[in-house]
Amino acid sequence: MAATSSMFMYSLTIKPSSAITQAILGQFAGTKEQQIVTASGSRLTIHRPDPTQGKITTILSQDCFGIIRTLAAFRLAGSNKDYIIIGSDSGRITIVEYNPTQNAFNRLHLETFGKSGVRRVVPGQYLAVDPKGRACLLAAVEKNKLVYVLNRNSQAELTISSPLEAHKAQTLVFTLVGLDVGYENPIFAALEIDYGESDQDPEGHAYDTIEKLLVYYELDLGLNHVVRKWSDPVDRSSNALFQVPGGVDGPSGVLVCSEDNITYRHSNQDAFRVPIPRRKGATEDPSRKRMICSGVMHKMKGVFFFLLQTEDGDLFKVTIDMVEDDQGQPTGEVSRLKIKYFDTVPVATSLCILKSGFLFVASETGNHHFYQFEKLGDDDEETEYISDNFPSDPLETYKPVYFHPRTAENVNLVEGIDAMNPLIDCKVANLTDDDAPQIYTLNGTGARGSFRTIKHGLEVAEIVESELPGVPSAVWTTKLTQEDNFDAYIVLSFGNATLVLSIGETVEEVTDTGFLSSAPTLAVQQLGEDGLVQVHPKGIRHIRAGRTNEWHAPQHRSIVAATTNQRQVAVALSSGEIIYFELDSDGSLAEYDDPKEMSGSVTCLSLGEVPEGRVRSQFLAVGCDDSTVRILSLDPDSTLENKSVQALSSQPSALSIMAMTDSSSGGSTLYLHIGLHSGIYLRTVLDEVTGELSDTRTRFLGPKAVKLFKVTVQGQAAVLALCSQPWLGYADPQTKGFMLTPLSYTPLEWGWNFSSEQCLEGMVGIQGQNLRIFTIEKLTENLLQEAIPLAHTPRRFVRHPNQPLFYVIESDNNTLSNTAKTRLLSDPSIVNGDANVLPPEEFGHPRGKGHWASCVQVVDPVHKKDVLQQLDFEDNEAAVSIAAVSFASQDDETFLVVGTGKDMIVNPRSFAAGFIHVYRFQEDGRELEFIHKTKVEEPPLALLAFQGRLLVGVGKEIRIYDLGMKQMLRKAQAEVSPQLIVGLQTQGSRIVVSDVQQSVTYVAYKFQENLLIPFADDSIARWTTCTTMVDYETIAGGDKFGNLWLLRCPQKASDEADEEGSGAHLVHERQYLQGTPSRLALMAHFFPQDIPTSIQKTQLVSGGRDVLLWSGMQGTIGILIPFVGREDVDFFQTLEQHLRSDDAPLAGRDHLTYRSYYVPVKGVIDGDLCERFGLLTSDKKMSIAAEMDRTVREMERKIADMRTRVAY
């Protein structure tokens, strides 16, 4: 990286990619239960399905810093643990095991065989494993195949052999699978084409006669080499192979899936073929052929079946009948193939059937689904088609077969797992007037498209909400004895009274508890073995075995603050004195003789919990109104002596001493949490021996004073911080780093732990006059999503300038529009069964070649949380762009402008015409009224409001239009782009035009002369997908190859373009290399491994700095944070270099070359790599910290601050 770069960014992922490219099933933890391992982009994730609750939880997710192309699970014969083989872009084969005790992936083998990168002839694209775990085959798209023999050594460790070659030049591989042959020599099956002849034939006849072959490769374990054993031609449209069980379980062989049919093939068996049934219905095209896009084979005792899925999402159950001998036992010879309709689920990239009776569907787009099998479809009414009635020769024709799709009967959806892919557009706005803005996104395709609102927060499940007689000021829960598992009382404090409620089947008031009910309460605690203590302004009441002992406060003084634990009580008087009590051996409270005078009046106190095996907590924290916190010792030798003091920026409003899990020490550490009146929360480490305070971290929570409470969430100690909204501080389950996340809940005034038989781990809180009991179930997901379903694939959206409304354009290609659907359904000749209209969100829209279905929808994500209006486009028009434009000629009234294309064909690109539609906002923007449309030569792919008029990108030209009575009026135009304009940005009178293939061009607009003059462009052809102006000279953007970049216009060229005058000096300036006179300079470049679909400059937290937020096609949301000073840059650059060597990527890819996939990385530091510092072993952390002259805590604080200051 050039050290001379004047601009540095820190790249962080807020939401990792959710597009699963492959999912595999296995017993990776070595226990009986199965786990699912998924690959999404560069992330390897292991999930635990919970059959009892019907849920899937993520155990571990790790970034491999490399593209995971294929995964396979395998186990050595006789073992009970599955290993994972990863085929990636590193040119190496990686074997990984999951270690459940450390919750980490451990790499066992890394064998280099070729160059890195995704290349045509370097293996890694296809991976097949012998079902008995003896060998694996790794293949490239062309020519090269390598076989590795897997075994174990005398220490029972996994060993891997040198690779055996099975290369064949000029051969393309389409798919690969391992055959189940029992314990005979392993065989792998591939679909291949030899293109040698068609490469040599200039006429192209050889291409027409080319054959696709099913090829068997046999690994001879005795001779240790691979031979091409058998090959046979199959249907030319064949695209997938599925392994058929062999050995004692079945006949072995493969199912070859082709367009419209499925064939069973094996080297020593006859071929059997069945057609893929087509959908029947009024809106279906009877001649459209289906292909199998995913499937799964499941073995049970003595039987097996396949579930194969077409591109409509229909699942078909395929079974194989075998010839039986005289005793009725199957002989291993196939007699027929059978297929029947099973159910319809979303189109999947992978299907997994669990032994516990669940089906996991890794959807191609939208949420992933987890289904439970109700039955296996054996006894339903569906027609079963058998191979006896169809020819097995791939060239012979047959009569197609049909079925009626229906709602699911065999599987039942138990959980949907949120997935954001494909993420098509994204905007950040604060429509709800919260402290932090929300992210609004367009996701999904077809009828599974959705508009999502993403908020930072943890999900809260409310159990009870009940109204109280008055407005309480505080609430506590308490057990009756030390041995109790559950709380017995809820104690509520009012302005001049205390109310006690008992917890049982119902919650009701009790009066004979010994509590003083005529005064407000300051603290409640279960004390010693069987005592209760109540602190009220005039004294302390100790209740034991029905007797009450009272300690009265001195005359003319009252108690203003109190803190308790199981053995100690400390109170502060209005005079500034602190009085301390401790439980003595006979169970009564003993007062320490010498009260401690504080310099100011005390605002809050805190005692930590009594550590296990001790009789007292060592320290008392005291907050005073002179903006200090003091730590006092409670040691018998030095009781109430000052240990340390910390100055604060404002008065402390709450304190809490508690031990929490700590990532830097690996164990637990004592922390002092401090809440201030100014809304700031501080967390500082409290030394357990000396009482010193160190390593303070701060966070602004909101504009109110902070209150702190110790709670338990998922078995770990956490801190509940109440401000203008509730926050939870906890240790992240995976990294153990400290997280502070808002709760998605109403603001609370007070909170406390709550535990009963119905709700083991809950919290109780007060909000106004209401008592609320709630729990927090998931700590792993700190971004909450709310989805509004849309009609078609969303393309772009804009926000109403003043109202919390969005306008979304949607379009689907090769899909029937609503009018075409209605016309077909109203046809009198259709039969009853064909007229059923199935919900498109489950079954998809009916297809129609050359048709477009398109509309614009008004979405209200705040109040109604629904679509308010839908306007469909007629005449095969499809929306391609949208903008809200205020026209100066119409008294600055804002109109909605939509660009459409008619009869568009995506590839090769063609169209009949383009149109610009104009709509007026009615009912505060909730409705749209069509005004007129203007015809243009090409679909206008970019629209932008510009100086009170409309700027349009049509083909290579940009045009300025004004609003006329009957149509748009053209005011200016210029050809500024080499190929096709896809995006526009503006500041002042400068326009930045992005081209589909030729990067960006800066254009100056001269108002007096009405001229548009290009003056700077890029030296590299970038396939631009999105851009945003960072400042007047700089633009940030992304391209189709998954790069992010920042370009800057030279200062001189920028100043010249803005000079007063006619712009003649720009028009006549000499062009440079067929382009504009000046070139843009590259400031920063980074490869995030997802195609950026939107980018914008925004703030994500209240009071945070501006960051660049980008969204990626696979559901990624990331940010680029600008560095302010050189010192931080040096720190993170050094840390990044250390981690590249000390924590090398799992799949063997070199981190620096990975982030420099197309262009060397420049000016960007990888924050995702830096954050892996927290996951290193303590020794590695300490050695890196020592080399950088810092402590581990300092390092961790610096890394955490980079994220928490600007994002989540």
Side-chain angles (χ1 to χ4, degrees), residues 795-798 807-811 854-858 871-873 877-885 887 895-901 914-921 928-936 938-944 950-952 963 968:
R795 302 289 174 178
R796 286 277 169 259
F797 69 136
V798 294
Y807 304 90
V808 185
I809 52 168
E810 301 157 34
S811 59
S854 183
C855 65
V856 56
Q857 289 190 327
V858 184
L871 296 172
D872 288 311
F873 292 105
E877 276 184 56
V880 290
S881 54
I882 186 167
V885 185
F887 287 100
F895 292 83
L896 188 73
V897 183
V898 178
T900 64
F915 294 95
I916 299 170
H917 295 243
V918 182
Y919 299 89
R920 178 178 259 125
F921 294 127
L928 296 174
E929 177 198 0
F930 176 67
I931 296 179
H932 57 62
K933 70 177 185 180
T934 309
K935 188 172 178 179
V936 290
E938 291 194 31
L941 296 178
L943 302 173
L944 185 68
L950 172 69
L951 191 63
V952 184
L963 188 62
M968 303 296 289

Side-chain angles (χ1 to χ4, degrees), residues 471-477 490-493 521-524 560-562 603-605 653-655 704-711 720-723 725-726 743 745-753 763-768 770-774:
V471 178
S473 58
V475 62
W476 294 269
T477 58
I490 296 177
V491 182
L492 293 155
S493 168
T521 300
L522 297 175
V524 172
V560 291
T603 58
C604 47
L605 296 170
S653 54
L655 296 172
K704 282 172 64 178
V706 179
K707 294 179 188 153
L708 301 173
F709 305 96
K710 182 188 175 196
V711 292
L720 179 69
L722 303 181
C723 191
Q725 71 185 106
L743 301 182
Y745 205 51
T746 54
L748 301 171
E749 276 94 59
W750 196 273
W752 205 261
N753 240 358
M763 297 175 209
V764 58
I766 295 170
Q767 175 253 323
N770 292 333
L771 181 75
R772 291 171 182 264
I773 297 175
F774 57 93

Side-chain angles (χ1 to χ4, degrees), residues 24-240:
I24 56 172
L25 193 63
Q27 295 168 342
F28 300 106
T31 56
K32 280 275 176 65
E33 66 171 12
Q34 291 177 303
Q35 290 88 20
I36 297 168
V37 168
T38 59
S40 36
S42 62
R43 291 191 90 80
L44 193 64
T45 310
I46 184 163
H47 311 264
R48 195 180 92 238
D50 186 342
T52 52
Q53 293 183 309
K55 280 194 162 62
I56 285 193
T57 48
T58 304
I59 315 175
L60 171 67
S61 179
Q62 181 170 338
D63 199 329
C64 293
F65 300 107
I67 299 169
I68 302 174
R69 296 155 76 186
T70 177
L71 289 177
F74 83 97
R75 70 168 71 185
L76 295 166
S79 91
N80 61 350
K81 178 165 188 167
D82 284 307
Y83 298 101
I84 306 160
I85 305 182
I86 304 172
S88 69
D89 61 341
S90 61
R92 295 162 160 187
I93 180 171
T94 316
I95 301 185
V96 170
E97 71 166 342
Y98 170 65
N99 183 333
T101 49
Q102 297 172 345
N103 190 23
F105 290 118
N106 292 347
R107 190 166 69 203
L108 303 176
H109 287 287
L110 184 66
E111 301 293 327
T112 308
F113 53 72
K115 289 181 173 176
S116 63
V118 177
R119 298 167 194 263
R120 211 167 59 167
V121 293
V122 177
Q125 186 62 35
Y126 302 110
L127 175 61
V129 172
D130 170 54
K132 295 286 184 260
R134 296 168 298 172
C136 69
L137 175 64
L138 204 60
V141 175
E142 187 183 332
K143 184 182 169 188
N144 294 334
K145 296 184 189 67
L146 297 173
V147 176
Y148 285 92
V149 180
L150 305 161
N151 213 324
R152 52 160 77 85
N153 62 13
S154 53
Q155 280 82 46
E157 292 165 342
L158 175 72
T159 60
I160 186 166
S161 71
S162 306
L164 306 171
E165 295 181 352
H167 303 338
K168 187 169 189 298
Q170 298 186 320
T171 302
L172 295 174
V173 179
F174 289 85
T175 184
L176 188 68
V177 67
L179 242 63
D180 188 348
V181 289
Y183 283 103
E184 291 174 21
N185 278 336
I187 295 180
F188 299 96
L191 281 180
E192 296 183 353
I193 272 184
D194 186 335
Y195 67 81
E197 287 178 21
S198 45
D199 214 19
Q200 306 300 324
D201 177 20
E203 302 293 314
H205 299 311
Y207 174 74
D208 299 330
T209 58
I210 203 165
E211 283 187 323
K212 190 174 275 189
L213 301 173
L214 171 65
V215 184
Y216 279 9
Y217 289 93
E218 182 178 21
L219 164 66
D220 192 319
L221 289 169
L223 299 172
N224 210 22
H225 76 130
V226 184
V227 289
R228 190 180 164 103
K229 186 183 179 189
W230 176 74
S231 72
D232 208 34
V234 291
D235 190 325
R236 194 161 160 185
S237 63
S238 302
N239 66 313

Side-chain angles (χ1 to χ4, degrees), residues 1114-1130:
Q1114 298 178 348
T1116 317
I1117 298 177
I1119 52 173
L1120 293 172
I1121 309 162
F1123 279 106
V1124 180
R1126 186 76 218 186
E1127 185 194 343
D1128 280 353
V1129 175
D1130 293 342

Side-chain angles (χ1 to χ4, degrees), residues 618-643:
Q618 293 291 85
F619 302 111
L620 170 68
V622 183
C624 300
D625 62 359
D626 57 358
S627 300
T628 58
V629 168
R630 289 180 168 77
I631 300 295
L632 307 183
S633 166
L634 299 179
D635 210 35
D637 308 336
S638 57
T639 311
L640 299 188
E641 273 183 26
N642 253 345
K643 280 285 186 184

Side-chain angles (χ1 to χ4, degrees), residues 1006-1009 1013 1057-1065:
K1006 299 294 177 189
F1007 184 74
Q1008 289 332 102
E1009 288 66 36
I1013 310 160
D1058 288 348
E1059 278 175 16
E1060 291 294 317
S1062 66
H1065 62 293

Side-chain angles (χ1 to χ4, degrees), residues 852-1006:
W852 283 88
S854 183
C855 65
V856 56
Q857 289 190 327
V858 184
V859 178
D860 175 1
V862 178
H863 304 301
K864 287 267 177 67
K865 300 195 175 175
D866 202 0
V867 174
L868 305 181
Q869 188 191 16
Q870 175 174 336
L871 296 172
D872 288 311
F873 292 105
E874 302 297 330
D875 299 335
N876 212 26
E877 276 184 56
V880 290
S881 54
I882 186 167
V885 185
S886 76
F887 287 100
S889 58
Q890 304 289 322
D891 302 332
D892 289 337
E893 186 186 345
T894 305
F895 292 83
L896 188 73
V897 183
V898 178
T900 64
K902 183 170 160 55
D903 298 335
M904 291 190 293
I905 295 170
V906 179
N907 192 16
R909 187 170 179 264
S910 70
F911 43 82
F915 294 95
I916 299 170
H917 295 243
V918 182
Y919 299 89
R920 178 178 259 125
F921 294 127
Q922 302 287 9
E923 306 282 332
D924 280 341
R926 286 194 291 278
E927 286 182 17
L928 296 174
E929 177 198 0
F930 176 67
I931 296 179
H932 57 62
K933 70 177 185 180
T934 309
K935 188 172 178 179
V936 290
E937 304 83 79
E938 291 194 31
L941 296 178
L943 302 173
L944 185 68
F946 178 69
Q947 298 187 351
R949 295 191 285 189
L950 172 69
L951 191 63
V952 184
V954 181
K956 302 178 182 183
E957 295 180 347
I958 52 172
R959 299 179 182 171
I960 296 176
Y961 282 94
D962 210 341
L963 188 62
M965 293 296 285
K966 295 279 176 67
Q967 64 168 28
M968 303 296 289
L969 308 173
R970 194 186 314 180
K971 298 295 185 190
Q973 78 170 36
E975 188 177 309
V976 298
S977 180
Q979 230 164 332
L980 178 65
I981 294 171
V982 291
L984 296 167
Q985 301 288 335
T986 181
Q987 276 191 23
S989 59
R990 176 170 296 177
I991 302 160
V992 179
V993 179
S994 27
D995 184 277
V996 68
Q997 195 177 334
Q998 300 288 338
S999 195
V1000 295
T1001 308
Y1002 281 47
V1003 178
Y1005 176 57
K1006 299 294 177 189

